[in-house]
C-alpha cells in the first residue's frame, strides 16, 4: 500500500534546489512521486521507500534533513544482545534514523526526522516497537512520576535490595547443608522444606528472568535472562522429578533445589553489585547536573527578587552573594570576587572576576558580591552545553563496539546449542542424564554475556566523565580511538601556544610622525576583533589618541584591513601582502627579535608608499613548554601553523623546541597544510581556537579546540578543552589511550572468561552454583576495572 511521507529540509533557496532534490528522490527505490514546497521547506514523498535512503539522497544532493534527538530509559535489558535487538526494533520504525543503546546507563538516544515526529511519529510508536522486542521504553518524565507515587511503606519492597535480601534469606538454609558436608555433618533438610524454600526464590524473586526470557522468545530472540530461566528451571525441574520418583529406600533423595536457588540469588546479587558500580560511572555527569542552582536573585520591578533559576531571561540583571553558585553565564557589571570554576573547567585555582569579565553558570562565587548581566540562559549556557556534550559522548559507541554487537547477536543461540550438546554428550556417553542436566545448567549460567555488553560502555562513561572533571570534553567516542593513534599534534600559535594578547611594542614612522601613524592604525583597527587590532586600540586609548574618520572599511582575509581617509586609501597588514603589492620592506627597521609585524601603506592612484611599521609581541604561555615536552615524551611530533611572520614563528618554535613550523599560512591554506602532514603518513591532531582554524580542525584526524576561542572552532572539533592550557592536549591523549586500553582489557577478560568458563562447565568441572558466582563476579570485575579511570591523575 502506497503511503505519504513528509520531511523538513534545510538549505533550499530557489526552485533549482527543489528540482535537484526531486530528481535525487525519484532515483530512490519505491518512490512514486516527490514534491518540494519551498515556502514551508518541506518535501512530500509518495510510495514506500526506506527512510534512510531518502535521507541519503537528500544529503547527497547537498541539503540537510531536519532531525531531532530524544533520550529514553529502557527496562528489561541484561546483555549486549538485548541492546542490539532494541536498536534493530527502533530502526525498523519509519522516521528513525539512528538508535544508540547504552547498556551501562540503560538509555537509548534516538535520532528521528523532525517533521515526521510532529506529524506521525509519536512516543507510543517507539514504545510499541521496543515492547514487541521484549523490553520497555520509559520517558524521563514517567520515571519521575513513578518515583513520586512510590510511598514510603512499599519503597523497600520495590528497591533493588529486596530481591537479593529475600532470596538470600530463603537460599541460606538450602546451602548450609553443603557446608556441613565439608565437616562430615549431615544437615540435609526434608524434601518438602527444600521445595518450600526454593519455590519462592524460583518463581517470585526469579520472576523477572521468566518475564524477560518469555518476552525475548515472543520477539523471536534470546537473551541472558532466557539462559538463567532455562538453566535454573532445569535444576528445579530435575529436583521435582527426583523427588517424585524416589522409592523411599536409602534415606532421602538427592535433590538440587539449592543449585537453582543459589544460582538465582547469585545472579540477582551480581546484578545489584553491577548496578551500583554502573552508577559510579555517571558520577561526573551527576556532579555537573548538581551545579545547576535552583534559585537566583534578579532585578525586577525595581527591586531584587528571588526566582527559580530556570525562569531567568537573557540580559536580566542578577546578583550573586558570597558562597552562592552563579545561576547563568554572564558579564560582571558591578563588584569583584574570586570565583571557583574547578568543576567546569578543571581550573584548581580561584579566578578573580571584576567589571567586564565573563562568568560561567555553575561556578561558585567565593568572597564578594557580584552583579552581572545574563548573556546565556537555559540550553544556551556553557554548563548546559557541557552536560549535553558529556551525555552525547557517553551514549555513543566506540568503533570496536561494532564487533561486540555482531558477536552478541549470535552468542546466546550458540550457548543454547553448546548446553544441548553438553546434555546429550553426558547423557548418551556416560548414561548419567542427571549430571548432564547439571553441567548443561552450568554452561547456561556461566555464559551469560553481561560482561561482554558492559565492557565498552562502562569504560567510555568512566573515561569521558573523568575527562570532563579535568576540563576535557569529548564529543564523540570515536575521538578516543583517534586520540590513541595520534602521532603528530599541530598547534595554532596565537591564543593556543601564546597568550593571544599581543602588545604593541614598536611604532616606526617613515613619511609621517609616530602619533599620526598610531592615529591611522587606530582608525583602521577600531572595528576588528583580531588580537593585533585589539593591541592597537588598547595602545591608542592609553595615549588618548583621537579617532579619525575612516570610510569604506574592509577586511582582506588572511592579509589585513583597508579603508579610506581624506580620499586616500590606507592598507594595514602583513609583510606578505605588502610584498604582493610590490613594496620593498625595510626589514632592518625591525628592532624586536621574533616580533609579529604589520605595515601601514597608503595608495593613491597607482602610487603606493609605506607610512610605517608596527611590531607586536605575544607572550608564550607558561604551560606551553611543558605541553610540548609531554607530547614529545610520548613519541608524538609537534608542529605549529601560524599566519604570523616567519621571524615570529621561528622565535616561538625555537623556544618551545618544535619539530616543525609553517609561517604566514593563510586561513584557507591551514587545512591543506594538515593534509600534507597526513599524506606523509601521520595521524594528525589539530589544536586551535579561532574561526580560521575550523577548516583545519575538520581536516585533521582529531580536532581539539580551546573553549576560550570561538563557537565555530568548538563545533568543528571532536574534543574541547575548557581552559586555555595547552598541557591539556597531552592529558587528553593520555586519558584517551587509557580509556581505549581499558576497553581492550575489559573485552579480553569478557572473552577469556567465556572461552575458559564454558568448556570447563561443559566438561563438568564447574557446578551451577560456582558458575553463577563466577558469572556475577565477571560483570562486577569489568565495571570495577572501568572505574579505575576515575582515579587517573595528570
Amino acid at each position: 500500500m502506497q503511503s505519504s511521507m513528509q520531511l523538513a529540509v534545510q538549505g533550499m533557496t530557489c526552485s533549482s534546489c527543489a528540482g535537484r532534490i526531486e530528481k535525487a528522490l525519484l532515483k530512490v527505490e519505491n518512490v512514486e512521486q516527490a514534491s518540494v514546497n519551498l515556502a514551508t521547506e518541506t518535501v512530500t514523498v509518495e510510495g514506500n521507500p526506506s527512510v534512510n535512503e531518502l535521507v541519503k539522497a537528500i544529503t547527497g544532493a547537498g541539503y540537510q534533513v531536519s532531525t531531532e534527538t530524544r533520550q529514553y530509559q529502557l527496562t528489561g535489558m541484561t546483555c549486549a544482545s538485548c541492546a542490539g535487538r532494541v536498536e534493530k526494533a527502533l530502526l525498523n520504525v519509519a522516521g528513525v534514523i539512528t538508535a544508540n543503546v547504552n547498556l551501562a546507563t540503560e538509555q537509548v538516544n534516538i535520532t528521528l526526522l523532525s517533521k515526521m515526529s510532529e506529524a506521525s511519529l509519536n512516543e507510543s510508536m517507539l514504545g510499541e516497537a521496543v515492547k514487541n522486542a521484549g523490553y520497555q521504553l520509559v520517558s524521563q518524565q514517567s520515571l519521575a512520576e513513578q518515583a513520586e507515587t512510590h510511598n514510603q511503606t512499599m519503597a523497600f519492597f520495590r528497591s533493588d535490595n529486596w530481591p537479593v535480601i529475600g532470596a538470600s534469606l530463603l537460599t541460606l538454609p538450602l546451602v548450609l547443608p553443603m557446608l556441613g558436608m565439608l565437616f562430615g555433618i549431615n544437615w540435609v533438610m526434608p524434601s518438602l522444606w527444600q521445595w518450600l524454600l526454593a519455590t519462592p526464590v524460583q518463581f517470585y524473586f526469579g520472576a523477572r528472568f521468566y518475564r524477560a526470557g518469555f518476552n525475548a522468545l515472543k520477539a523471536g530472540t534470546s537473551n541472558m535472562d532466557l539462559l538463567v530461566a532455562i538453566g535454573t528451571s532445569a535444576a528445579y525441574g530435575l529436583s521435582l522429578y527426583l523427588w517424585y520418583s524416589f522409592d523411599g529406600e536409602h534415606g532421602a533423595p538427592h535433590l538440587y533445589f539449592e543449585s537453582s536457588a543459589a544460582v538465582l540469588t547469585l545472579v540477582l546479587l551480581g546484578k545489584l553489585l553491577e548496578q551500583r558500580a554502573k552508577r559510579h560511572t555517571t558520577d561526573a555527569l551527576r556532579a555537573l547536573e548538581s551545579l545547576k542552582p535552583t534559585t537566583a536573585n534578579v532585578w525586577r520591578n525595581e527591586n531584587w527578587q528571588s526566582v527559580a533559576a530556570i525562569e531567568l531571561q537573557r540580559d536580566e540583571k542578577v546578583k550573586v552573594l558570597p558562597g552562592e553558585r552563579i545561576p547563568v553565564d554572564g558579564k560582571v557589571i558591578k563588584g569583584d570576587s574570586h570565583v571557583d570554576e574547578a568543576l567546569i573547567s578543571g581550573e584548581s585555582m580561584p579566578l578573580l572576576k571584576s567589571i567586564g569579565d565573563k562568568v560561567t553558570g555553575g561556578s561558585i562565587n567565593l568572597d564578594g558580591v557580584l552583579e552581572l548581566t545574563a548573556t546565556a540562559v537555559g540550553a544556551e549556557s556553557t554548563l548546559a552545553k557541557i552536560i549535553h556534550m558529556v551525555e552525547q559522548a557517553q551514549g555513543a559507541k566506540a568503533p570496536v563496539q561494532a564487533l561486540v554487537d555482531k558477536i552478541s547477536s549470535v552468542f546466546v543461540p550458540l550457548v543454547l546449542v553448546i548446553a544441548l550438546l553438553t546434555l546429550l554428550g553426558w547423557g548418551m556417553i556416560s548414561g548419567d542424564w542427571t549430571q548432564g542436566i547439571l553441567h548443561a545448567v552450568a554452561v547456561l549460567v556461566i555464559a551469560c554475556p553481561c560482561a561482554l555488553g558492559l565492557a565498552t560502555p562502562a569504560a567510555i562513561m568512566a573515561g569521558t566523565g573523568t575527562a570532563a572533571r579535568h576540563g576535557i570534553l569529548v564529543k564523540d567516542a570515536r575521538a578516543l580511538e583517534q586520540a590513541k593513534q595520534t602521532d603528530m599534534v599541530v598547534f595554532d600559535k596565537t591564543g593556543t601556544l601564546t597568550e593571544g594578547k599581543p602588545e604593541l611594542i614598536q611604532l616606526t614612522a617613515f613619511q609621517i610622525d609616530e602619533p599620526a601613524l598610531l592615529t591611522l592604525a587606530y582608525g583602521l583597527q577600531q572595528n576588528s576583533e583580531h588580537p593585533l587590532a585589539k593591541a592597537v586600540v588598547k595602545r591608542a586609548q592609553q595615549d588618548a589618541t583621537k579617532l579619525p574618520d575612516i570610510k569604506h572599511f574592509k577586511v582582506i582575509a588572511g592579509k589585513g584591513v583597508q579603508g579610506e581617509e581624506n580620499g586616500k586609501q590606507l592598507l594595514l597588514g602583513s609583510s606578505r601582502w605588502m610584498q604582493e603589492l610590490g613594496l620593498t620592506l625595510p626589514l632592518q627597521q625591525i628592532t624586536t627579535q621574533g616580533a609579529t609585524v604589520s605595515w601601514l601603506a597608503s595608495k593613491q592612484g597607482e602610487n603606493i608608499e609605506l607610512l610605517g611599521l608596527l611590531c607586536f609581541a605575544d607572550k608564550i604561555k607558561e604551560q606551553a613548554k611543558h605541553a610540548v615536552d609531554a607530547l614529545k615524551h610520548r613519541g608524538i611530533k609537534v608542529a605549529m601553523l601560524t599566519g604570523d611572520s616567519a621571524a615570529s614563528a621561528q622565535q616561538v618554535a625555537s623556544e618551545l623546541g618544535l619539530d616543525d613550523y609553517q609561517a604566514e599560512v593563510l586561513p584557507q591554506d591551514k587545512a591543506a597544510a594538515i593534509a600534507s602532514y597526513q599524506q606523509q603518513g601521520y595521524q594528525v591532531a589539530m589544536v586551535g581556537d579561532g574561526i580560521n582554524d575550523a577548516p583545519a580542525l575538520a581536516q585533521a584526524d582529531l580536532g581539539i579546540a580551546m573553549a576560550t576561542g570561538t563557537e565555530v572552532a568548538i563545533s568543528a572539533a571532536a574534543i574541547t578543552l575548557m581552559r586555555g592550557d595547552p598541557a591539556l592536549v597531552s592529558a587528553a591523549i593520555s586519558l584517551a589511550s587509557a580509556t581505549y586500553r581499558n576497553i581492550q582489557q575489559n573485552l579480553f577478560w569478557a572473552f577469556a572468561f567465556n572461552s575458559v568458563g564454558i568448556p570447563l562447565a561443559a566438561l563438568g568441572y564447574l557446578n551451577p552454583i560456582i558458575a553463577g558466582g563466577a558469572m556475577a563476579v565477571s560483570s562486577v570485575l569489568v565495571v570495577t576495572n572501568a572505574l579505575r579511570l576515575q582515579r587517573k591523575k595528570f
Side-chain angles (χ1 to χ4, degrees):
M1 186 178 74
Q2 184 173 306
S3 62
S4 177
M5 189 182 303
Q6 195 174 60
L7 300 83
V9 178
Q10 298 173 341
M12 297 187 296
T13 56
C14 58
S15 57
S16 59
C17 298
R20 280 194 291 272
I21 292 175
E22 289 174 358
K23 186 177 180 181
L25 290 173
L26 289 172
K27 293 179 181 179
V28 177
E29 187 177 357
N30 296 325
V31 171
E32 302 293 335
Q33 186 177 345
S35 59
V36 176
N37 188 326
L38 276 174
T40 60
E41 295 185 315
T42 57
V43 175
T44 302
V45 179
E46 303 288 342
N48 293 293
S50 161
V51 173
N52 285 338
E53 289 300 317
L54 295 178
V55 173
K56 191 182 298 183
I58 292 172
T59 54
Y63 305 93
Q64 188 175 359
V65 179
S66 297
T67 62
E68 68 167 282
T69 301
R70 298 184 192 175
Q71 186 179 77
Y72 296 98
Q73 199 76 22
L74 292 163
T75 59
M77 293 195 308
T78 53
C79 59
S81 58
C82 298
R85 279 190 291 278
V86 171
E87 289 176 354
K88 186 176 180 180
L90 287 169
L91 289 172
N92 286 332
V93 177
V96 173
I97 300 174
T98 63
N100 287 321
V101 172
N102 188 324
L103 182 63
T105 59
E106 296 180 334
Q107 291 179 335
V108 59
N109 288 313
I110 305 171
T111 303
L112 44 87
L113 300 176
S114 293
K115 199 65 182 177
M116 290 191 66
S117 69
E118 295 169 12
S120 59
L121 186 54
N122 53 46
E123 194 170 294
S124 62
M125 294 174 64
L126 300 173
E128 189 66 25
V130 173
K131 183 179 179 181
N132 290 337
Y135 309 92
Q136 187 178 1
L137 192 74
V138 186
S139 68
Q140 299 293 343
Q141 183 178 353
S142 297
L143 281 175
E145 290 172 355
Q146 289 176 20
E148 288 179 8
T149 58
H150 287 178
N151 59 54
Q152 295 298 319
T153 307
M154 299 299 294
F156 172 75
F157 296 102
R158 287 172 172 152
S159 70
D160 294 334
N161 298 327
W162 165 237
V164 175
I165 295 173
S168 298
L169 291 174
L170 294 174
T171 302
L172 191 59
L174 293 170
V175 176
L176 280 176
M178 296 177 62
L179 299 176
M181 290 171 62
L182 298 176
F183 301 99
I185 304 172
N186 184 7
W187 286 343
V188 177
M189 301 176 66
S191 301
L192 177 61
W193 280 102
Q194 291 187 51
W195 174 76
L196 289 172
L197 290 169
T199 300
V201 177
Q202 188 72 37
F203 299 109
Y204 174 67
F205 295 110
R208 54 170 287 181
F209 300 107
Y210 286 100
R211 282 195 299 269
F214 175 73
N215 287 334
L217 284 177
K218 192 168 66 172
T221 61
S222 53
N223 60 10
M224 185 210 94
D225 295 306
L226 184 62
L227 297 183
V228 174
I230 292 174
T232 57
S233 296
Y236 182 86
L238 176 62
S239 300
L240 288 177
Y241 171 76
L242 294 175
W243 183 21
Y244 174 77
S245 61
F246 180 62
D247 57 10
E249 298 182 7
H250 308 295
H254 188 80
L255 308 179
Y256 298 96
F257 284 122
E258 83 284 345
S259 293
S260 63
V263 165
L264 284 170
T265 302
L266 286 169
V267 172
L268 288 169
L269 176 61
K271 296 299 291 181
L272 176 64
L273 295 175
E274 175 191 310
Q275 288 287 348
R276 290 187 173 182
K278 284 194 298 187
R279 287 191 194 110
H280 287 298
T281 64
T282 59
D283 282 350
L285 192 56
R286 286 201 301 273
L288 288 171
E289 289 280 2
S290 69
L291 298 183
K292 295 180 179 178
T294 56
T295 60
N297 293 315
V298 61
W299 182 258
R300 289 180 182 173
N301 301 322
E302 302 302 317
N303 67 317
W304 291 105
Q305 300 178 15
S306 179
V307 301
I310 58 174
E311 296 178 4
L312 289 175
Q313 302 293 318
R314 191 172 179 175
D315 296 327
E316 284 195 302
K317 189 163 68 171
V318 178
K319 180 193 287 185
V320 188
L321 301 176
E324 292 183 340
R325 287 200 180 276
I326 298 172
V328 290
D329 289 2
K331 189 174 184 180
V332 178
I333 57 175
K334 184 178 180 181
D336 54 70
S337 176
H338 286 88
V339 173
D340 182 357
E341 297 181 344
L343 279 174
I344 296 172
S345 66
E347 177 61 63
S348 58
M349 296 297 293
L351 303 175
L352 179 62
K353 302 289 184 179
S354 54
I355 295 175
D357 290 335
K358 294 179 180 179
V359 292
T360 305
S363 51
I364 303 173
N365 180 29
L366 296 178
D367 51 21
V369 178
L370 292 177
E371 290 184 18
L372 49 99
T373 300
T375 57
V377 297
E380 297 178 351
S381 69
T382 301
L383 181 58
K385 290 177 180 177
I386 291 173
I387 292 172
H388 175 71
M389 196 176 291
V390 174
E391 286 177 333
Q392 187 179 24
Q394 293 191 338
K397 291 186 177 182
V400 70
Q401 185 67 25
L403 173 64
V404 177
D405 291 342
K406 287 181 180 178
I407 294 172
S408 299
S409 64
V410 298
F411 187 82
V412 175
L414 179 63
V415 169
L416 290 171
V417 171
I418 294 173
L420 178 61
L421 293 175
T422 300
L423 171 63
L424 295 175
W426 279 88
M428 296 175 68
I429 295 174
S430 69
D432 191 342
W433 289 95
T434 297
Q435 287 302 310
I437 290 175
L438 291 176
H439 298 328
V441 170
V443 169
L444 292 171
V445 172
I446 201 167
C448 294
C450 302
L452 192 61
L454 290 169
T456 302
I460 288 174
M461 292 177 66
T464 54
T466 300
R469 199 168 63 246
H470 288 86
I472 303 167
L473 299 184
V474 181
K475 185 185 295 183
D476 192 331
R478 287 188 292 269
L480 298 172
E481 187 169 345
Q482 292 163 337
K484 173 184 173 293
Q485 297 170 349
T486 295
D487 53 13
M488 173 176 264
V489 173
V490 179
F491 285 93
D492 172 53
K493 182 176 81 72
T494 305
T496 305
L497 289 175
T498 63
E499 295 288 352
K501 299 176 182 178
E503 294 183 356
L504 179 57
I505 57 172
Q506 180 185 342
L507 271 172
T508 302
F510 301 141
Q511 307 296 328
I512 55 179
D513 58 23
E514 289 186 7
L517 174 62
L518 182 59
T519 298
L520 294 176
Y522 180 28
L524 287 169
Q525 299 285 41
Q526 61 170 317
N527 296 317
S528 175
E529 289 297 314
H530 194 281
L532 298 185
K534 291 182 178 180
V536 171
V537 172
K538 181 180 177 181
R539 171 71 175 272
Q541 291 175 345
Q542 287 174 347
D543 292 359
T545 302
K546 185 179 179 181
L547 186 64
D549 183 21
I550 301 293
K551 298 178 180 178
H552 307 302
F553 174 80
K554 184 179 179 181
V555 175
I556 310 300
K559 297 180 179 180
V561 295
Q562 68 181 37
E564 288 185 12
E565 194 246 358
N566 294 329
K568 185 183 296 184
Q569 190 175 30
L570 298 172
L571 312 171
L572 178 63
S574 66
S575 301
R576 181 174 178 175
W577 188 25
M578 296 299 139
Q579 289 169 340
E580 289 175 359
L581 294 172
L583 289 170
T584 301
L585 304 177
L587 300 179
Q588 70 278 3
Q589 295 284 348
I590 302 172
T591 59
T592 306
Q593 185 180 10
T596 299
V597 181
S598 290
W599 304 85
L600 180 66
S602 66
K603 184 178 181 182
Q604 200 161 17
E606 295 299 320
N607 298 321
I608 182 169
E609 62 178 351
L610 281 176
L611 299 181
L613 71 85
L614 300 87
C615 294
F616 304 85
D618 190 4
K619 184 180 177 184
I620 295 175
K621 289 183 178 179
E622 292 181 7
Q623 314 94 325
K625 178 62 176 172
H626 170 70
V628 172
D629 291 345
L631 289 168
K632 295 178 78 170
H633 181 72
R634 296 181 63 86
I636 297 173
K637 289 190 174 296
V638 186
M640 179 182 70
L641 298 178
T642 179
D644 286 348
S645 65
S648 175
Q650 194 277 332
Q651 176 76 14
V652 173
S654 176
E655 190 169 332
L656 296 180
L658 303 182
D659 296 298
D660 189 30
Y661 71 92
Q662 296 183 38
E664 299 182 1
V665 181
L666 296 176
Q668 59 268 31
D669 295 335
K670 285 189 176 182
I674 295 295
S676 70
Y677 287 128
Q678 291 170 323
Q679 289 167 5
Q680 295 172 40
Y682 291 109
Q683 289 285 318
V684 182
M686 171 69 190
V687 187
D689 69 336
I691 292 175
N692 59 354
D693 297 322
L697 289 167
Q699 172 66 39
D701 299 288
L702 176 66
I704 302 176
M706 297 279 191
T708 51
T710 65
E711 285 286 338
V712 176
I714 293 169
S715 63
I719 293 178
T720 299
L721 308 180
M722 289 305 296
R723 62 182 191 273
D725 183 355
L728 285 180
V729 176
S730 176
I733 293 175
S734 174
L735 183 59
S737 299
T739 302
Y740 200 78
R741 188 164 57 249
N742 195 281
I743 291 173
Q744 292 174 317
Q745 293 168 353
N746 284 347
L747 289 174
F748 170 79
W749 285 114
F751 281 119
F753 177 83
N754 284 310
S755 300
V756 174
I758 291 175
L760 288 177
L763 293 172
Y765 292 108
L766 296 176
N767 68 42
I769 296 177
I770 295 176
M775 188 276 289
V777 167
S778 70
S779 298
V780 176
L781 178 66
V782 163
V783 180
T784 304
N785 184 50
L787 291 176
R788 290 191 307 113
L789 291 168
Q790 294 184 340
R791 298 193 297 271
K792 185 170 178 60
K793 305 292 184 184
F794 299 110

